[in-house]
Amino acid sequence: MNAEPALIPFNPADYFTYVLHEEIRNAGMPGGYCGFVLELAGEPDFNRLQQRLDQLVVQFPIASAKLERRGKRFFWMTTGRRIMLERHQSSHNEGEAILGLQTAMDIFNQPTLNLDPLPLRLHWIATGNGGLLLLNWIHPLLDARGGKILLDYLCSDRPDKFKESPSLIGEKLAQWRWWQKVRFFFKAKRHNHEAIRLDSCLPTAMEQGSQSLRLRIRRYSKDETLRISALAQQHTGLAGKTLYSIGCFMRAMELAGPPAAKAGYCIPYAFNLRRQNAPTPVFGNHVSCLFARATREQTRQRQGLFAHLLAQYRQTLQNELDIAYLPLMWLGQSLSPSRYAKLLRKQRSGGELSSLWFSDIGELRWNEAGFMGTRVSGMFHLCWMTFPPGLALLTGQLNGQITLSYSYLHPAVDEAWLEGLIARMDAELLETNP
């Protein structure tokens, strides 16, 4: 017998992502769906995988919950509904660099994606001897690091170590006295006012029209990855590859020529509250928001740009801005999605805040047993994003190799321009520009 339905409230970051989900839907696209794809050298044990999905719903009922609104607040209402492993045979084999990729894109572009109340789905796309395992979920359910933890759960010999746990944002807010929350609130408000002053260059001049999601994947060899890591350490130190990748993208876009040229670049990125390698929490979003900003003039001098971004990052840590946005996000829950969206997306001039959606998934590891005994030969990511900017860059590392996944809207983003941008990004990351 199924348990009685339960209501699980959104945490402040869940609502943050829900607002962006609604913005994507309002632009005529499916919504804030994310994808985590493992390229497997063989077939996993399908029976065991289905058993683990069934166990997931019992252990974490939120996995098959449905969105529920009560007044101004949003919740997950548990349904106990079973999550079935969905199996596909790739029908787009000829001329593909990655077999099954187009089938994965077909799944993401289904116009009826929102009609299924399940917030999480798992797909197997067979491609001969192996295939792609696609974890597809709605962003308010969990963040990218949670997606990796969920995949670990599905193939773990010890699923009992994965536990329900409270929101890390809630825990952090509970630690502060009221006057500390007020102090952090005003810190974040001042920082946000600075971020919205600089009109952002955008990768598309279009702001409306029917769009489909497409993907470009760029993988770097182990030697190239070592070089990128060394250059990141040299230029951005402890801030690492996240800040280095953002700076390289700013320069690449400036050199390629921004289609919507304005005053500078603003790239939001996440500060993750999760503990390194912790198996919990699995569900929910546990992130705060930071900004990397630079004028067009600053991007034209490579060393100067990295010095500027690094100084900006150090000031962020010194002023505790990595956590200062939490009270602001908590207060944001009282706003309607449309009103909150304006605060999240708009420059003071009324233009789009984000030059790019960016996420660094970090280094991913599977042991020699791989995923359910099957070797993980590669991975990539994809997501829908607001329009504008119409472009998202998701970066991660597996088996000592960096993979960049460029999700973009077609026809808004010119594909010839994007190919040129990716080539310039290569040159920036590897420091091969003359």
Side-chain angles (χ1 to χ4, degrees), residues 34-39 101 105 108 134-135 137 144-145 147-148 151 213-217 219 359-362 364 366 378-384 392-398 403-407:
C34 306
F36 204 133
V37 183
L38 300 184
E39 300 167 59
L101 174 58
M105 300 309 299
F108 254 72
L134 165 61
L135 182 66
W137 75 93
R145 178 55 61 178
K148 169 58 168 63
L151 288 169
L213 186 69
R214 294 191 178 182
L215 184 69
R216 289 286 185 275
I217 300 169
R219 303 184 199 274
S359 182
D360 188 345
I361 314 301
L364 310 175
W366 274 272
M379 61 90 192
F380 57 91
H381 310 92
L382 61 161
C383 73
W384 283 96
L393 173 57
L394 310 179
T395 175
Q397 184 168 324
L398 173 72
T403 297
L404 301 187
S405 304
Y406 296 85
S407 294

mmCIF file of all heavy atoms in Angstrom, residues 34-39 101 105 108 134-135 137 144-145 147-148 151 213-217 219 359-362 364 366 378-384 392-398 403-407:
data_model
loop_
_atom_site.group_PDB
_atom_site.id
_atom_site.type_symbol
_atom_site.label_atom_id
_atom_site.label_comp_id
_atom_site.label_asym_id
_atom_site.label_seq_id
_atom_site.Cartn_x
_atom_site.Cartn_y
_atom_site.Cartn_z
ATOM 1 N N CYS A 34 17.138 19.435 -16.979
ATOM 2 C CA CYS A 34 18.576 19.189 -16.991
ATOM 3 C C CYS A 34 18.831 17.742 -17.409
ATOM 4 O O CYS A 34 17.992 16.864 -17.185
ATOM 5 C CB CYS A 34 19.178 19.412 -15.605
ATOM 6 S SG CYS A 34 18.812 21.032 -14.900
ATOM 7 N N GLY A 35 20.001 17.493 -17.979
ATOM 8 C CA GLY A 35 20.358 16.142 -18.390
ATOM 9 C C GLY A 35 21.792 15.810 -18.023
ATOM 10 O O GLY A 35 22.696 16.632 -18.193
ATOM 11 N N PHE A 36 21.969 14.615 -17.493
ATOM 12 C CA PHE A 36 23.287 14.094 -17.131
ATOM 13 C C PHE A 36 23.432 12.787 -17.897
ATOM 14 O O PHE A 36 22.662 11.856 -17.695
ATOM 15 C CB PHE A 36 23.318 13.850 -15.620
ATOM 16 C CG PHE A 36 24.685 13.861 -15.004
ATOM 17 C CD1 PHE A 36 24.919 14.582 -13.842
ATOM 18 C CD2 PHE A 36 25.730 13.151 -15.555
ATOM 19 C CE1 PHE A 36 26.160 14.591 -13.248
ATOM 20 C CE2 PHE A 36 26.978 13.149 -14.973
ATOM 21 C CZ PHE A 36 27.196 13.872 -13.813
ATOM 22 N N VAL A 37 24.394 12.713 -18.808
ATOM 23 C CA VAL A 37 24.499 11.559 -19.699
ATOM 24 C C VAL A 37 25.809 10.827 -19.467
ATOM 25 O O VAL A 37 26.890 11.427 -19.517
ATOM 26 C CB VAL A 37 24.405 11.992 -21.179
ATOM 27 C CG1 VAL A 37 24.431 10.762 -22.087
ATOM 28 C CG2 VAL A 37 23.139 12.799 -21.426
ATOM 29 N N LEU A 38 25.712 9.529 -19.220
ATOM 30 C CA LEU A 38 26.886 8.657 -19.134
ATOM 31 C C LEU A 38 26.971 7.831 -20.406
ATOM 32 O O LEU A 38 25.979 7.238 -20.837
ATOM 33 C CB LEU A 38 26.785 7.712 -17.935
ATOM 34 C CG LEU A 38 26.689 8.339 -16.543
ATOM 35 C CD1 LEU A 38 26.699 7.247 -15.485
ATOM 36 C CD2 LEU A 38 27.812 9.331 -16.310
ATOM 37 N N GLU A 39 28.147 7.805 -21.003
ATOM 38 C CA GLU A 39 28.398 6.943 -22.160
ATOM 39 C C GLU A 39 28.994 5.637 -21.629
ATOM 40 O O GLU A 39 30.079 5.630 -21.061
ATOM 41 C CB GLU A 39 29.357 7.633 -23.126
ATOM 42 C CG GLU A 39 28.825 8.958 -23.658
ATOM 43 C CD GLU A 39 29.910 9.766 -24.350
ATOM 44 O OE1 GLU A 39 30.490 9.261 -25.333
ATOM 45 O OE2 GLU A 39 30.188 10.890 -23.891
ATOM 46 N N LEU A 101 23.299 10.460 -29.577
ATOM 47 C CA LEU A 101 23.171 11.853 -29.162
ATOM 48 C C LEU A 101 21.879 12.474 -29.681
ATOM 49 O O LEU A 101 21.161 13.155 -28.946
ATOM 50 C CB LEU A 101 24.379 12.658 -29.636
ATOM 51 C CG LEU A 101 24.320 14.169 -29.402
ATOM 52 C CD1 LEU A 101 24.134 14.497 -27.925
ATOM 53 C CD2 LEU A 101 25.568 14.853 -29.939
ATOM 54 N N MET A 105 18.691 14.232 -27.746
ATOM 55 C CA MET A 105 18.162 15.564 -28.036
ATOM 56 C C MET A 105 16.672 15.506 -28.379
ATOM 57 O O MET A 105 15.915 16.404 -28.028
ATOM 58 C CB MET A 105 18.952 16.211 -29.174
ATOM 59 C CG MET A 105 20.438 16.383 -28.896
ATOM 60 S SD MET A 105 20.781 17.202 -27.322
ATOM 61 C CE MET A 105 19.985 18.784 -27.567
ATOM 62 N N PHE A 108 14.785 15.537 -25.197
ATOM 63 C CA PHE A 108 14.773 16.861 -24.577
ATOM 64 C C PHE A 108 13.872 17.843 -25.316
ATOM 65 O O PHE A 108 13.398 18.814 -24.723
ATOM 66 C CB PHE A 108 16.196 17.418 -24.506
ATOM 67 C CG PHE A 108 16.761 17.385 -23.118
ATOM 68 C CD1 PHE A 108 17.125 16.180 -22.546
ATOM 69 C CD2 PHE A 108 16.881 18.537 -22.372
ATOM 70 C CE1 PHE A 108 17.620 16.127 -21.263
ATOM 71 C CE2 PHE A 108 17.369 18.503 -21.082
ATOM 72 C CZ PHE A 108 17.747 17.303 -20.522
ATOM 73 N N LEU A 134 20.734 8.372 -19.779
ATOM 74 C CA LEU A 134 20.337 9.763 -19.642
ATOM 75 C C LEU A 134 19.454 9.943 -18.418
ATOM 76 O O LEU A 134 18.353 9.401 -18.347
ATOM 77 C CB LEU A 134 19.584 10.226 -20.900
ATOM 78 C CG LEU A 134 18.790 11.542 -20.809
ATOM 79 C CD1 LEU A 134 19.702 12.716 -20.484
ATOM 80 C CD2 LEU A 134 18.013 11.789 -22.099
ATOM 81 N N LEU A 135 19.957 10.697 -17.445
ATOM 82 C CA LEU A 135 19.160 11.117 -16.301
ATOM 83 C C LEU A 135 18.592 12.493 -16.628
ATOM 84 O O LEU A 135 19.337 13.438 -16.881
ATOM 85 C CB LEU A 135 20.031 11.193 -15.040
ATOM 86 C CG LEU A 135 19.320 11.589 -13.743
ATOM 87 C CD1 LEU A 135 18.323 10.508 -13.324
ATOM 88 C CD2 LEU A 135 20.321 11.854 -12.630
ATOM 89 N N TRP A 137 15.868 15.488 -15.483
ATOM 90 C CA TRP A 137 15.078 15.943 -14.342
ATOM 91 C C TRP A 137 14.782 17.433 -14.452
ATOM 92 O O TRP A 137 15.409 18.162 -15.209
ATOM 93 C CB TRP A 137 15.793 15.635 -13.031
ATOM 94 C CG TRP A 137 16.960 16.544 -12.715
ATOM 95 C CD1 TRP A 137 16.920 17.702 -11.968
ATOM 96 C CD2 TRP A 137 18.327 16.382 -13.114
ATOM 97 N NE1 TRP A 137 18.173 18.257 -11.887
ATOM 98 C CE2 TRP A 137 19.052 17.473 -12.580
ATOM 99 C CE3 TRP A 137 19.011 15.414 -13.866
ATOM 100 C CZ2 TRP A 137 20.428 17.625 -12.784
ATOM 101 C CZ3 TRP A 137 20.373 15.573 -14.068
ATOM 102 C CH2 TRP A 137 21.076 16.655 -13.528
ATOM 103 N N ALA A 144 22.983 19.952 -10.041
ATOM 104 C CA ALA A 144 23.833 19.055 -10.831
ATOM 105 C C ALA A 144 24.642 18.109 -9.955
ATOM 106 O O ALA A 144 24.815 16.929 -10.286
ATOM 107 C CB ALA A 144 24.763 19.878 -11.723
ATOM 108 N N ARG A 145 25.158 18.606 -8.845
ATOM 109 C CA ARG A 145 25.902 17.717 -7.945
ATOM 110 C C ARG A 145 24.979 16.648 -7.385
ATOM 111 O O ARG A 145 25.376 15.486 -7.225
ATOM 112 C CB ARG A 145 26.536 18.549 -6.833
ATOM 113 C CG ARG A 145 27.316 17.752 -5.795
ATOM 114 C CD ARG A 145 28.383 16.882 -6.377
ATOM 115 N NE ARG A 145 29.419 17.595 -7.111
ATOM 116 C CZ ARG A 145 30.480 17.026 -7.668
ATOM 117 N NH1 ARG A 145 30.632 15.705 -7.590
ATOM 118 N NH2 ARG A 145 31.364 17.735 -8.327
ATOM 119 N N GLY A 147 22.578 15.369 -9.053
ATOM 120 C CA GLY A 147 22.438 14.408 -10.143
ATOM 121 C C GLY A 147 23.529 13.358 -10.107
ATOM 122 O O GLY A 147 23.270 12.160 -10.324
ATOM 123 N N LYS A 148 24.766 13.794 -9.825
ATOM 124 C CA LYS A 148 25.874 12.835 -9.711
ATOM 125 C C LYS A 148 25.656 11.902 -8.516
ATOM 126 O O LYS A 148 25.866 10.687 -8.613
ATOM 127 C CB LYS A 148 27.197 13.596 -9.566
ATOM 128 C CG LYS A 148 28.404 12.727 -9.183
ATOM 129 C CD LYS A 148 28.673 11.609 -10.165
ATOM 130 C CE LYS A 148 30.023 10.942 -9.955
ATOM 131 N NZ LYS A 148 30.186 10.260 -8.658
ATOM 132 N N LEU A 151 23.095 9.255 -9.411
ATOM 133 C CA LEU A 151 23.664 8.181 -10.227
ATOM 134 C C LEU A 151 24.510 7.241 -9.373
ATOM 135 O O LEU A 151 24.500 6.017 -9.575
ATOM 136 C CB LEU A 151 24.498 8.774 -11.363
ATOM 137 C CG LEU A 151 23.691 9.448 -12.484
ATOM 138 C CD1 LEU A 151 24.609 10.231 -13.409
ATOM 139 C CD2 LEU A 151 22.896 8.420 -13.278
ATOM 140 N N LEU A 213 16.325 22.905 -28.805
ATOM 141 C CA LEU A 213 17.590 22.796 -28.083
ATOM 142 C C LEU A 213 18.576 21.968 -28.886
ATOM 143 O O LEU A 213 18.241 20.891 -29.392
ATOM 144 C CB LEU A 213 17.354 22.141 -26.718
ATOM 145 C CG LEU A 213 18.583 22.100 -25.790
ATOM 146 C CD1 LEU A 213 18.942 23.497 -25.318
ATOM 147 C CD2 LEU A 213 18.329 21.170 -24.616
ATOM 148 N N ARG A 214 19.799 22.471 -29.018
ATOM 149 C CA ARG A 214 20.880 21.740 -29.668
ATOM 150 C C ARG A 214 22.106 21.710 -28.769
ATOM 151 O O ARG A 214 22.168 22.422 -27.762
ATOM 152 C CB ARG A 214 21.204 22.360 -31.036
ATOM 153 C CG ARG A 214 20.047 22.212 -32.037
ATOM 154 C CD ARG A 214 20.451 22.567 -33.457
ATOM 155 N NE ARG A 214 19.343 22.363 -34.380
ATOM 156 C CZ ARG A 214 19.424 22.551 -35.688
ATOM 157 N NH1 ARG A 214 20.580 22.963 -36.245
ATOM 158 N NH2 ARG A 214 18.377 22.335 -36.469
ATOM 159 N N LEU A 215 23.086 20.899 -29.150
ATOM 160 C CA LEU A 215 24.229 20.660 -28.274
ATOM 161 C C LEU A 215 25.508 20.510 -29.082
ATOM 162 O O LEU A 215 25.514 19.852 -30.125
ATOM 163 C CB LEU A 215 23.987 19.379 -27.451
ATOM 164 C CG LEU A 215 25.034 19.000 -26.407
ATOM 165 C CD1 LEU A 215 25.043 19.989 -25.246
ATOM 166 C CD2 LEU A 215 24.775 17.584 -25.882
ATOM 167 N N ARG A 216 26.570 21.144 -28.603
ATOM 168 C CA ARG A 216 27.917 20.928 -29.125
ATOM 169 C C ARG A 216 28.786 20.457 -27.963
ATOM 170 O O ARG A 216 28.755 21.050 -26.882
ATOM 171 C CB ARG A 216 28.507 22.206 -29.712
ATOM 172 C CG ARG A 216 27.869 22.653 -31.016
ATOM 173 C CD ARG A 216 28.314 21.766 -32.187
ATOM 174 N NE ARG A 216 27.806 22.270 -33.446
ATOM 175 C CZ ARG A 216 26.615 22.023 -33.962
ATOM 176 N NH1 ARG A 216 25.764 21.249 -33.287
ATOM 177 N NH2 ARG A 216 26.238 22.522 -35.120
ATOM 178 N N ILE A 217 29.559 19.408 -28.195
ATOM 179 C CA ILE A 217 30.400 18.837 -27.144
ATOM 180 C C ILE A 217 31.861 18.956 -27.552
ATOM 181 O O ILE A 217 32.232 18.611 -28.678
ATOM 182 C CB ILE A 217 30.045 17.352 -26.895
ATOM 183 C CG1 ILE A 217 28.583 17.234 -26.456
ATOM 184 C CG2 ILE A 217 30.960 16.740 -25.835
ATOM 185 C CD1 ILE A 217 28.071 15.813 -26.449
ATOM 186 N N ARG A 219 35.620 17.784 -26.185
ATOM 187 C CA ARG A 219 36.388 17.010 -25.209
ATOM 188 C C ARG A 219 37.875 17.345 -25.358
ATOM 189 O O ARG A 219 38.371 17.545 -26.467
ATOM 190 C CB ARG A 219 36.207 15.510 -25.437
ATOM 191 C CG ARG A 219 34.773 15.027 -25.393
ATOM 192 C CD ARG A 219 34.778 13.510 -25.539
ATOM 193 N NE ARG A 219 33.491 12.988 -25.947
ATOM 194 C CZ ARG A 219 32.496 12.690 -25.132
ATOM 195 N NH1 ARG A 219 32.636 12.908 -23.844
ATOM 196 N NH2 ARG A 219 31.356 12.204 -25.593
ATOM 197 N N SER A 359 27.795 26.371 -15.482
ATOM 198 C CA SER A 359 27.878 25.485 -14.327
ATOM 199 C C SER A 359 29.107 24.596 -14.453
ATOM 200 O O SER A 359 29.369 24.044 -15.523
ATOM 201 C CB SER A 359 26.621 24.609 -14.217
ATOM 202 O OG SER A 359 26.683 23.777 -13.074
ATOM 203 N N ASP A 360 29.863 24.511 -13.376
ATOM 204 C CA ASP A 360 31.025 23.619 -13.314
ATOM 205 C C ASP A 360 30.642 22.434 -12.443
ATOM 206 O O ASP A 360 30.511 22.546 -11.230
ATOM 207 C CB ASP A 360 32.221 24.371 -12.728
ATOM 208 C CG ASP A 360 33.509 23.568 -12.806
ATOM 209 O OD1 ASP A 360 33.436 22.346 -13.038
ATOM 210 O OD2 ASP A 360 34.594 24.149 -12.633
ATOM 211 N N ILE A 361 30.444 21.280 -13.089
ATOM 212 C CA ILE A 361 30.008 20.072 -12.362
ATOM 213 C C ILE A 361 31.139 19.512 -11.511
ATOM 214 O O ILE A 361 30.922 18.804 -10.545
ATOM 215 C CB ILE A 361 29.515 18.985 -13.354
ATOM 216 C CG1 ILE A 361 28.582 19.594 -14.409
ATOM 217 C CG2 ILE A 361 28.817 17.855 -12.627
ATOM 218 C CD1 ILE A 361 27.367 20.263 -13.869
ATOM 219 N N GLY A 362 32.391 19.829 -11.889
ATOM 220 C CA GLY A 362 33.555 19.341 -11.159
ATOM 221 C C GLY A 362 34.041 18.007 -11.692
ATOM 222 O O GLY A 362 33.626 17.539 -12.755
ATOM 223 N N LEU A 364 34.316 14.077 -11.838
ATOM 224 C CA LEU A 364 33.435 12.945 -11.570
ATOM 225 C C LEU A 364 34.246 11.660 -11.595
ATOM 226 O O LEU A 364 35.124 11.478 -12.448
ATOM 227 C CB LEU A 364 32.329 12.884 -12.623
ATOM 228 C CG LEU A 364 31.594 14.213 -12.850
ATOM 229 C CD1 LEU A 364 30.609 14.081 -13.995
ATOM 230 C CD2 LEU A 364 30.883 14.657 -11.585
ATOM 231 N N TRP A 366 34.095 7.321 -11.188
ATOM 232 C CA TRP A 366 33.524 5.999 -10.959
ATOM 233 C C TRP A 366 34.700 5.044 -10.822
ATOM 234 O O TRP A 366 35.724 5.189 -11.525
ATOM 235 C CB TRP A 366 32.623 5.574 -12.122
ATOM 236 C CG TRP A 366 31.227 6.072 -11.969
ATOM 237 C CD1 TRP A 366 30.210 5.454 -11.324
ATOM 238 C CD2 TRP A 366 30.700 7.315 -12.449
ATOM 239 N NE1 TRP A 366 29.067 6.233 -11.369
ATOM 240 C CE2 TRP A 366 29.339 7.373 -12.053
ATOM 241 C CE3 TRP A 366 31.242 8.380 -13.172
ATOM 242 C CZ2 TRP A 366 28.523 8.441 -12.356
ATOM 243 C CZ3 TRP A 366 30.424 9.449 -13.467
ATOM 244 C CH2 TRP A 366 29.084 9.482 -13.057
ATOM 245 N N GLY A 378 32.639 8.009 -21.165
ATOM 246 C CA GLY A 378 32.518 9.449 -21.359
ATOM 247 C C GLY A 378 31.254 9.967 -20.705
ATOM 248 O O GLY A 378 30.424 9.201 -20.205
ATOM 249 N N MET A 379 31.111 11.277 -20.683
ATOM 250 C CA MET A 379 29.901 11.886 -20.141
ATOM 251 C C MET A 379 29.741 13.267 -20.763
ATOM 252 O O MET A 379 30.675 13.866 -21.271
ATOM 253 C CB MET A 379 29.950 11.969 -18.609
ATOM 254 C CG MET A 379 31.082 12.808 -18.059
ATOM 255 S SD MET A 379 30.629 14.538 -17.857
ATOM 256 C CE MET A 379 32.238 15.269 -17.552
ATOM 257 N N PHE A 380 28.503 13.769 -20.730
ATOM 258 C CA PHE A 380 28.238 15.144 -21.103
ATOM 259 C C PHE A 380 26.950 15.585 -20.432
ATOM 260 O O PHE A 380 26.252 14.779 -19.801
ATOM 261 C CB PHE A 380 28.174 15.335 -22.634
ATOM 262 C CG PHE A 380 27.163 14.486 -23.352
ATOM 263 C CD1 PHE A 380 25.871 14.938 -23.583
ATOM 264 C CD2 PHE A 380 27.515 13.223 -23.838
ATOM 265 C CE1 PHE A 380 24.937 14.155 -24.260
ATOM 266 C CE2 PHE A 380 26.590 12.433 -24.521
ATOM 267 C CZ PHE A 380 25.298 12.906 -24.731
ATOM 268 N N HIS A 381 26.650 16.870 -20.541
ATOM 269 C CA HIS A 381 25.495 17.443 -19.856
ATOM 270 C C HIS A 381 24.719 18.312 -20.831
ATOM 271 O O HIS A 381 25.252 18.773 -21.841
ATOM 272 C CB HIS A 381 25.948 18.298 -18.670
ATOM 273 C CG HIS A 381 26.904 17.610 -17.762
ATOM 274 N ND1 HIS A 381 28.277 17.699 -17.916
ATOM 275 C CD2 HIS A 381 26.706 16.805 -16.706
ATOM 276 C CE1 HIS A 381 28.872 16.971 -16.986
ATOM 277 N NE2 HIS A 381 27.946 16.423 -16.245
ATOM 278 N N LEU A 382 23.466 18.567 -20.510
ATOM 279 C CA LEU A 382 22.665 19.473 -21.323
ATOM 280 C C LEU A 382 21.565 20.075 -20.466
ATOM 281 O O LEU A 382 21.203 19.535 -19.417
ATOM 282 C CB LEU A 382 22.081 18.783 -22.552
ATOM 283 C CG LEU A 382 21.135 17.602 -22.389
ATOM 284 C CD1 LEU A 382 20.336 17.400 -23.670
ATOM 285 C CD2 LEU A 382 21.909 16.306 -22.097
ATOM 286 N N CYS A 383 21.057 21.229 -20.900
ATOM 287 C CA CYS A 383 19.981 21.869 -20.152
ATOM 288 C C CYS A 383 19.270 22.883 -21.029
ATOM 289 O O CYS A 383 19.845 23.422 -21.977
ATOM 290 C CB CYS A 383 20.524 22.567 -18.895
ATOM 291 S SG CYS A 383 21.459 24.079 -19.224
ATOM 292 N N TRP A 384 18.009 23.121 -20.715
ATOM 293 C CA TRP A 384 17.288 24.251 -21.266
ATOM 294 C C TRP A 384 17.681 25.487 -20.473
ATOM 295 O O TRP A 384 18.023 25.392 -19.281
ATOM 296 C CB TRP A 384 15.784 24.035 -21.171
ATOM 297 C CG TRP A 384 15.228 23.089 -22.195
ATOM 298 C CD1 TRP A 384 14.978 21.759 -22.032
ATOM 299 C CD2 TRP A 384 14.843 23.401 -23.539
ATOM 300 N NE1 TRP A 384 14.460 21.219 -23.177
ATOM 301 C CE2 TRP A 384 14.365 22.217 -24.130
ATOM 302 C CE3 TRP A 384 14.850 24.571 -24.307
ATOM 303 C CZ2 TRP A 384 13.901 22.151 -25.433
ATOM 304 C CZ3 TRP A 384 14.388 24.528 -25.616
ATOM 305 C CH2 TRP A 384 13.922 23.334 -26.170
ATOM 306 N N ALA A 392 24.174 27.978 -22.846
ATOM 307 C CA ALA A 392 24.641 27.498 -21.545
ATOM 308 C C ALA A 392 25.910 26.680 -21.753
ATOM 309 O O ALA A 392 26.011 25.908 -22.712
ATOM 310 C CB ALA A 392 23.574 26.650 -20.857
ATOM 311 N N LEU A 393 26.861 26.852 -20.864
ATOM 312 C CA LEU A 393 28.114 26.086 -20.896
ATOM 313 C C LEU A 393 28.210 25.292 -19.605
ATOM 314 O O LEU A 393 28.254 25.852 -18.508
ATOM 315 C CB LEU A 393 29.314 27.027 -21.036
ATOM 316 C CG LEU A 393 30.698 26.376 -20.919
ATOM 317 C CD1 LEU A 393 30.887 25.266 -21.950
ATOM 318 C CD2 LEU A 393 31.795 27.428 -21.047
ATOM 319 N N LEU A 394 28.208 23.966 -19.738
ATOM 320 C CA LEU A 394 28.336 23.062 -18.595
ATOM 321 C C LEU A 394 29.651 22.323 -18.731
ATOM 322 O O LEU A 394 29.927 21.706 -19.767
ATOM 323 C CB LEU A 394 27.165 22.081 -18.555
ATOM 324 C CG LEU A 394 25.769 22.712 -18.666
ATOM 325 C CD1 LEU A 394 24.688 21.641 -18.644
ATOM 326 C CD2 LEU A 394 25.526 23.718 -17.561
ATOM 327 N N THR A 395 30.487 22.391 -17.706
ATOM 328 C CA THR A 395 31.809 21.786 -17.780
ATOM 329 C C THR A 395 31.986 20.750 -16.681
ATOM 330 O O THR A 395 31.485 20.907 -15.569
ATOM 331 C CB THR A 395 32.913 22.861 -17.688
ATOM 332 O OG1 THR A 395 34.198 22.235 -17.652
ATOM 333 C CG2 THR A 395 32.745 23.722 -16.436
ATOM 334 N N GLY A 396 32.665 19.672 -17.005
ATOM 335 C CA GLY A 396 32.949 18.627 -16.032
ATOM 336 C C GLY A 396 34.177 17.852 -16.454
ATOM 337 O O GLY A 396 34.690 18.023 -17.568
ATOM 338 N N GLN A 397 34.676 17.002 -15.573
ATOM 339 C CA GLN A 397 35.886 16.229 -15.860
ATOM 340 C C GLN A 397 35.672 14.773 -15.460
ATOM 341 O O GLN A 397 35.159 14.481 -14.387
ATOM 342 C CB GLN A 397 37.075 16.816 -15.101
ATOM 343 C CG GLN A 397 38.396 16.127 -15.413
ATOM 344 C CD GLN A 397 39.594 16.905 -14.884
ATOM 345 O OE1 GLN A 397 39.597 18.131 -14.892
ATOM 346 N NE2 GLN A 397 40.611 16.195 -14.429
ATOM 347 N N LEU A 398 36.047 13.870 -16.365
ATOM 348 C CA LEU A 398 35.919 12.433 -16.137
ATOM 349 C C LEU A 398 37.139 11.734 -16.699
ATOM 350 O O LEU A 398 37.598 12.055 -17.805
ATOM 351 C CB LEU A 398 34.655 11.902 -16.824
ATOM 352 C CG LEU A 398 34.453 10.392 -16.823
ATOM 353 C CD1 LEU A 398 34.092 9.908 -15.424
ATOM 354 C CD2 LEU A 398 33.372 9.974 -17.809
ATOM 355 N N THR A 403 35.388 17.894 -20.294
ATOM 356 C CA THR A 403 34.374 17.951 -21.347
ATOM 357 C C THR A 403 33.581 19.241 -21.180
ATOM 358 O O THR A 403 33.093 19.534 -20.086
ATOM 359 C CB THR A 403 33.419 16.751 -21.267
ATOM 360 O OG1 THR A 403 34.137 15.539 -21.485
ATOM 361 C CG2 THR A 403 32.312 16.869 -22.321
ATOM 362 N N LEU A 404 33.456 20.011 -22.260
ATOM 363 C CA LEU A 404 32.597 21.186 -22.281
ATOM 364 C C LEU A 404 31.356 20.865 -23.103
ATOM 365 O O LEU A 404 31.460 20.387 -24.227
ATOM 366 C CB LEU A 404 33.313 22.396 -22.908
ATOM 367 C CG LEU A 404 34.603 22.880 -22.250
ATOM 368 C CD1 LEU A 404 35.066 24.179 -22.911
ATOM 369 C CD2 LEU A 404 34.437 23.076 -20.753
ATOM 370 N N SER A 405 30.190 21.129 -22.523
ATOM 371 C CA SER A 405 28.917 20.886 -23.205
ATOM 372 C C SER A 405 28.232 22.233 -23.425
ATOM 373 O O SER A 405 27.867 22.909 -22.466
ATOM 374 C CB SER A 405 28.023 19.977 -22.363
ATOM 375 O OG SER A 405 28.656 18.749 -22.043
ATOM 376 N N TYR A 406 28.081 22.604 -24.699
ATOM 377 C CA TYR A 406 27.434 23.868 -25.052
ATOM 378 C C TYR A 406 25.990 23.573 -25.468
ATOM 379 O O TYR A 406 25.740 23.057 -26.555
ATOM 380 C CB TYR A 406 28.145 24.539 -26.228
ATOM 381 C CG TYR A 406 29.573 24.970 -25.982
ATOM 382 C CD1 TYR A 406 30.640 24.078 -26.146
ATOM 383 C CD2 TYR A 406 29.862 26.289 -25.627
ATOM 384 C CE1 TYR A 406 31.948 24.481 -25.958
ATOM 385 C CE2 TYR A 406 31.180 26.706 -25.446
ATOM 386 C CZ TYR A 406 32.218 25.800 -25.604
ATOM 387 O OH TYR A 406 33.522 26.202 -25.416
ATOM 388 N N SER A 407 25.030 23.887 -24.596
ATOM 389 C CA SER A 407 23.617 23.810 -24.960
ATOM 390 C C SER A 407 23.206 25.160 -25.528
ATOM 391 O O SER A 407 23.556 26.204 -24.968
ATOM 392 C CB SER A 407 22.753 23.496 -23.736
ATOM 393 O OG SER A 407 23.015 22.214 -23.216
#
